[in-house]
């Protein structure tokens, strides 16, 4: 009873600190989300899916300030792309490109206020579906209170990536963004995301992929170390559709990335991957839930974490194969490389299978640098620091290789190499 009362008090305080946007086609979805978050309450440490990660700083009313660091040249800056910039969750028109590109319509949630809009059938819908069987109240909070985001309706094969750049300039910023993406049959798009976004950041992305549609997503989270973030991706895949997402995380005192995917059409493919490198006061949580609800679908979860100086990594991944989802191919691997004795990796891999013609596997390991391989490199004249970096990059390679585009893959490897060099003992 006492725990429930404390949770309700925390929820009430958080809701009281926010203002519910009104008007337009999203109003009904927001009202429903507000009702749901009041009913479920915000997460607390006793929740099963939060036992490895303290949600306090993500749910409290007051924002813990986060120092602003010089980001340097933004990642993906040299990639030919359409750039859309948000500063502390607010759209920066002057820094953004013209929001027009062949094969996709691009609008903003904040300015799309008509009573009828294609996004009305999606806003909050996939997030609501993703609340079963596990409640995700921070995503529901976002649906209710998000003030901006992009609405992408992809109708063809888009010639270049759409690049969402998130800048952090206020030490006490508290940002909500909600993106809605519809990929039509046969259409294809690549979405890039990069930047620290805010002192505290809550983001939801809902992605609906029609039959034979293709969605590629590459994200880089960093560099401001004191930032806190809770991000959510909800995706629904049609027949022969493809969803591939990769996340690079460098630094960040608290990051929780959730990904909830439904494969509802036969022969669909969903890959989710991540590589993170953390040093010191660093807590990184990947929570993934993939549901197979169609025949002959493939899913991959590949997560690698490099941790040092007391950093903590968390992985919670589940594959649910529903009755009738025969010929499912589900693969899940989560591994950590601990560069000292003070860091820790907490993993909870799960399989729940109700079909008998499937190939599903999961594995999770933690370990140190391979001393034999390190000795081999050093015996051939490679300095210890460089040898350690080479072995670390080799460890991360399986996750990074999930990125199909070679230019983007090279950019990610360069950033990882730079971080390792800066964080040598």
């Amino acid at each position: 009873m006492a725990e429930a009362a404390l949770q309700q008090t925390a929820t009430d305080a958080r809701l009281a600190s926010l203002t519910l946007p009104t008007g337009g086609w999203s109003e009904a979805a927001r009202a429903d989300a507000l009702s749901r978050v009041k009913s479920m309450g915000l997460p607390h440490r006793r929740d099963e899916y939060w036992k490895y990660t303290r949600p306090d700083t993500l749910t409290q009313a007051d924002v813990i300030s986060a120092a602003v660091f010089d980001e340097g040249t933004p990642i993906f800056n040299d990639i030919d792309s359409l750039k859309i910039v948000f500063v502390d969750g607010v759209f920066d028109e002057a820094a953004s490109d013209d929001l027009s590109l062949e094969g996709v319509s691009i609008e903003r949630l904040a300015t799309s206020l008509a009573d009828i809009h294609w996004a009305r059938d999606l806003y909050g819908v996939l997030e609501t579906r993703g609340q079963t069987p596990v409640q995700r109240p921070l995503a529901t909070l976002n649906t209710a209170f998000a003030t901006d985001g992009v609405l992408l309706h992809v109708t063809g094969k888009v010639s270049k990536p759409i690049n969402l750049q998130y800048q952090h300039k206020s030490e006490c910023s508290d940002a909500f963004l909600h993106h809605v993406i519809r990929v039509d049959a046969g259409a294809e798009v690549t979405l890039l995301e990069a930047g620290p976004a805010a002192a505290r950041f809550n983001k939801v992305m809902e992605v609906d992929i029609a039959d034979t549609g293709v969605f590629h997503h590459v994200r880089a989270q960093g560099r401001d170390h004191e930032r806190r973030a809770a991000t959510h991706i909800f995706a629904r895949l049609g027949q022969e559709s493809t969803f591939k997402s990769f996340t690079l995380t460098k630094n960040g005192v608290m990051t929780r990335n959730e990904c909830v995917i439904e494969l509802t059409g036969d022969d669909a493919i969903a890959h989710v991957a991540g590589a993170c490198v953390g040093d010191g006061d660093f807590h990184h949580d990947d929570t993934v839930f993939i549901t197979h609800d169609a025949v002959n679908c493939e899913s991959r979860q590949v997560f690698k974490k490099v941790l040092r100086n007391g950093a903590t990594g968390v992985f919670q991944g589940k594959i649910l194969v529903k009755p009738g989802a025969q010929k499912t191919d589900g693969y899940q691997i989560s591994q950590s490389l601990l560069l000292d004795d003070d860091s820790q990796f907490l993993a909870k891999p799960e399989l729940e299978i109700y079909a008998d013609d499937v190939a599903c596997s999961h594995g999770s390991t933690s370990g140190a640098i391979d001393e034999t391989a390190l000795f081999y490199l050093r015996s051939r004249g490679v300095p210890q620091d460089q040898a350690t970096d080479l072995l670390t990059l080799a460890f991360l390679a399986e996750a990074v290789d999930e990125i199909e585009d070679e230019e983007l893959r090279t950019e990610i490897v360069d950033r990882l190499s730079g971080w390792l060099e800066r964080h040598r003992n």
Side-chain angles (χ1 to χ4, degrees), residues 26-349:
S26 65
E27 186 169 34
R30 293 180 184 279
D32 175 69
L34 179 59
S35 176
R36 288 187 288 119
V37 79
K38 286 181 178 179
S39 175
M40 68 179 73
L42 292 177
H44 56 90
R45 190 65 182 274
R46 290 185 180 272
D47 290 343
E48 175 67 19
Y49 275 80
W50 285 90
K51 67 179 182 180
Y52 297 137
T53 300
R54 294 189 64 89
D56 313 45
T57 57
L58 299 173
T59 61
Q60 65 189 44
D62 298 329
V63 180
I64 299 176
S65 64
V68 179
F69 294 86
D70 179 14
E71 185 71 11
T73 303
I75 190 171
F76 309 137
N77 196 60
D78 295 330
I79 303 292
D80 181 22
S81 61
L82 186 148
K83 182 172 63 176
I84 303 175
V85 179
F86 291 91
V87 179
D88 293 317
V90 178
F91 176 67
D92 188 337
E93 183 176 8
S96 302
D97 295 335
D98 179 58
L99 302 185
S100 61
L101 187 62
E102 187 175 353
V104 58
S105 70
I106 307 172
E107 299 176 75
R108 289 175 49 218
L109 177 63
T111 56
S112 178
L113 300 175
D115 291 332
I116 299 177
H117 194 279
W118 65 264
R120 182 179 62 179
D121 297 330
L122 280 181
Y123 185 87
V125 173
L126 301 188
E127 175 265 305
T128 301
R129 292 173 65 92
Q131 299 295 333
T132 304
V134 178
Q135 292 184 336
R136 307 177 194 278
L138 287 177
T140 307
L141 183 75
N142 179 292
T143 297
F145 292 99
T147 53
D148 212 345
V150 295
L151 310 175
L152 305 180
H153 185 189
V154 186
T155 56
K157 293 192 175 182
V158 183
S159 60
K160 59 184 178 180
I162 297 170
N163 184 0
L164 304 182
Q165 291 190 3
Y166 305 133
Q167 298 180 11
H168 171 208
K169 294 188 177 180
S170 170
E171 293 188 354
C172 294
S173 54
D174 190 14
F176 288 82
L177 288 177
H178 194 117
H179 307 313
V180 181
I181 301 164
R182 168 172 281 168
V183 181
D184 284 353
E188 182 173 350
V189 68
T190 296
L191 181 70
L192 308 178
E193 294 184 282
R200 181 168 64 185
F201 187 40
N202 182 323
K203 190 204 71 181
V204 166
M205 181 187 298
E206 298 181 279
V207 186
D208 192 40
I209 309 173
D211 298 349
T212 70
V214 178
F215 177 77
H216 290 284
H217 174 235
V218 180
R219 169 172 59 173
Q221 297 174 313
R223 170 180 180 186
D224 293 10
H225 181 66
E226 295 178 3
R227 62 177 174 78
R228 291 168 167 80
T231 76
H232 316 79
I233 299 174
F234 298 93
R236 179 171 58 188
L237 280 66
Q239 185 174 348
E240 297 181 18
S241 63
T242 300
F243 171 97
K244 292 189 177 182
S245 175
F246 171 86
T247 299
L248 166 68
T249 304
K250 303 179 300 174
N251 308 318
V253 69
M254 167 68 76
T255 305
R256 165 93 166 201
N257 294 326
E258 297 197 29
C259 190
V260 182
I261 301 174
E262 293 181 275
L263 295 95
T264 62
D266 295 346
D267 302 296
I269 297 172
H271 291 193
V272 187
C276 93
V277 285
D279 190 344
D281 186 16
F282 172 90
H283 187 103
H284 186 271
D285 180 336
D286 283 303
T287 295
V288 182
F289 198 114
I290 296 181
T291 300
H292 286 259
D293 196 14
V295 175
N296 199 39
C297 293
E298 171 188 309
S299 69
R300 286 175 59 86
Q301 302 174 45
V302 182
F303 289 88
K304 302 291 188 83
K305 300 180 190 291
V306 177
L307 308 167
R308 58 179 293 170
N309 293 331
T312 298
V314 175
F315 173 78
Q316 301 179 108
K318 183 164 185 174
I319 300 172
L320 170 63
V321 182
K322 289 192 171 182
Q326 304 294 355
K327 301 188 182 302
T328 286
D329 182 0
Y331 173 77
Q332 179 193 95
I333 187 73
S334 59
Q335 295 179 314
S336 69
L337 183 62
L338 305 180
L339 299 183
D340 57 42
D341 295 332
D342 298 324
S343 300
Q344 63 176 335
F345 177 57
L346 307 169
K348 184 186 177 186

Side-chain angles (χ1 to χ4, degrees), residues 401-412:
D401 285 347
E402 288 292 316
I403 304 171
E404 288 196 5
D405 185 280
E406 183 177 358
E407 186 178 11
L408 293 172
R409 192 164 59 245
T410 299
E411 182 74 18
I412 293 294

